[in-house]
Amino acid sequence: MSKKLVVANWKMHLNTSQASLLLHRLQERTRIHREVEIVLAPSMLVLQPLSLQIDRRKFRLAAQNAYYKDEGPYTGEVSFTMLQDLVHYCIVGHSARRVYFNETLEEVREKISACVRNNITPILCVGETKQEKRLGEGRQVLHDQLVTALSNLTAREVEEMVIAYEPVWAITTFDGIMAKPYDVQKSMDAIRSEIKELYGKKASERVRVLYGGSVDDKDVGGYLEIEGCDGVLVGAASLNYFQFSSICETVYQLSIK
Ligand code: 13P
């Protein structure tokens, strides 16, 4: 059985000292588990200082975004190349980027390619909006997002990446409501069958698929029980060290059951 993955997306919260304090508290409360991989995605600003403080036996770092060109006159941007020595993962195509910054399917594809090219594992976020769900377009949206984002990758590269199913209607940022594990199961199955069709059975079985959207310490267990769910991507609840460490502990307990 593969390791469970828990990713904390701190979004645009916490300055350097706040982030350092949160990491300190998490390090105090988190035990080292071989069965669970815990990844922290702080803002770009604090990646460097946290990389010096982090206990690498307990945590890995992820970026929340990066620019797809490796270098050049792109004022204000940070490239995947620059992040190479700092992070293991990068979140790509998060709904906040698609919704607030109009990130297109093609831009997400370029970022996924750049991420892989620079030896960083992408955590590709996919998911339908409330409107798309209401119109019954969920499956089509997943199809379009996956086909485009992955189109430059080989089956082997897809196997090694992470896909997070994050229905936009379930994310706290967008006043989300809690998704029922039954509905999440259907979408996760849809994701794996898309991958199977595009990249074959092996890739569809090996790619790690996470769930994200209003996950907290009370409902994390329900999502973890979904067949084929490899972990969770946690937003708001990850800013609270008490809640987040209890999420990690629950994931650990379930993984050794
Ligand atoms: P919430 O857990 O705050 O709903 O955020 C989910 C998310 O967007 C994580 O990337």
Side-chain angles (χ1 to χ4, degrees):
M1 207 182 60
S2 73
K3 267 189 188 189
K4 294 291 179 203
L5 184 58
V6 183
V7 184
N9 176 5
W10 293 353
K11 307 183 184 176
M12 199 180 75
H13 294 290
L14 312 180
N15 63 24
T16 310
S17 53
Q18 291 164 333
S20 166
L21 182 61
L22 178 54
L23 175 61
H24 173 73
R25 295 216 159 112
L26 287 174
Q27 300 204 136
E28 267 182 351
R29 293 182 69 91
T30 309
R31 295 188 288 156
I32 299 168
H33 298 309
R34 264 181 305 136
E35 298 79 358
V36 186
E37 181 179 347
I38 306 171
V39 177
L40 307 177
S43 79
M44 195 73 91
L45 176 70
V46 303
L47 278 172
Q48 184 85 52
L50 291 201
S51 76
L52 303 174
Q53 183 190 344
I54 205 161
D55 181 342
R56 287 165 208 278
R57 294 166 307 170
K58 295 183 180 175
F59 304 105
R60 284 180 158 172
L61 287 173
Q64 297 175 12
N65 178 43
Y67 190 56
Y68 64 88
K69 300 273 193 185
D70 289 343
E71 68 168 12
Y74 307 103
T75 306
E77 295 298 318
V78 174
S79 69
F80 289 94
T81 313
M82 292 165 166
L83 291 169
Q84 242 181 18
D85 302 329
L86 218 47
V87 300
H88 268 89
Y89 293 92
C90 183
I91 298 174
V92 178
H94 191 274
S95 56
R97 308 249 12 123
R98 297 185 197 255
V99 173
Y100 296 139
F101 302 99
N102 304 315
E103 218 167 84
T104 63
L105 295 176
E106 290 70 28
E107 278 170 303
V108 173
R109 179 190 59 212
E110 294 310 307
K111 289 187 178 193
I112 289 285
S113 306
C115 192
V116 171
R117 176 169 79 239
N118 285 288
N119 297 316
I120 297 172
T121 305
I123 302 173
L124 169 68
C125 296
V126 294
E128 74 285 3
T129 62
K130 193 163 151 188
Q131 161 98 337
E132 289 159 345
K133 175 178 156 69
R134 191 151 32 85
L135 295 171
E137 294 171 356
R139 178 90 200 235
Q140 184 63 39
V141 169
L142 292 179
H143 170 85
D144 294 347
Q145 290 179 341
L146 289 168
V147 170
T148 329
L150 307 181
S151 58
N152 291 337
L153 303 192
T154 63
R156 186 69 197 273
E157 287 164 342
V158 171
E159 257 175 49
E160 279 164 16
M161 66 179 291
V162 180
I163 299 173
Y165 173 57
E166 291 213 311
V168 182
W169 50 269
I171 297 179
T172 58
T173 313
F174 304 102
D175 295 327
I177 54 163
M178 232 192 88
K180 295 189 192 73
Y182 172 75
D183 292 326
V184 174
Q185 170 85 71
K186 285 199 291 188
S187 299
M188 285 191 156
D189 290 349
I191 290 171
R192 285 201 197 268
S193 43
E194 288 288 345
I195 301 294
K196 187 169 172 192
E197 223 161 274
L198 296 164
Y199 296 95
K201 187 159 180 278
K202 192 166 156 215
S204 75
E205 287 169 356
R206 292 212 176 166
V207 65
R208 286 170 290 169
V209 183
L210 311 182
Y211 174 69
S214 300
V215 173
D216 64 20
D217 50 346
K218 298 191 185 60
D219 57 45
V220 62
Y223 296 120
L224 255 293
E225 274 161 19
I226 294 172
E227 204 185 314
C229 176
D230 294 301
V232 283
L233 176 46
V234 187
S238 72
L239 292 166
N240 177 314
Y241 69 93
F242 191 80
Q243 271 204 44
F244 187 67
S245 49
S246 127
I247 288 172
C248 295
E249 192 57 29
T250 305
V251 173
Y252 167 66
Q253 293 300 339
L254 289 173
S255 71
I256 55 167
K257 239 174 51 178

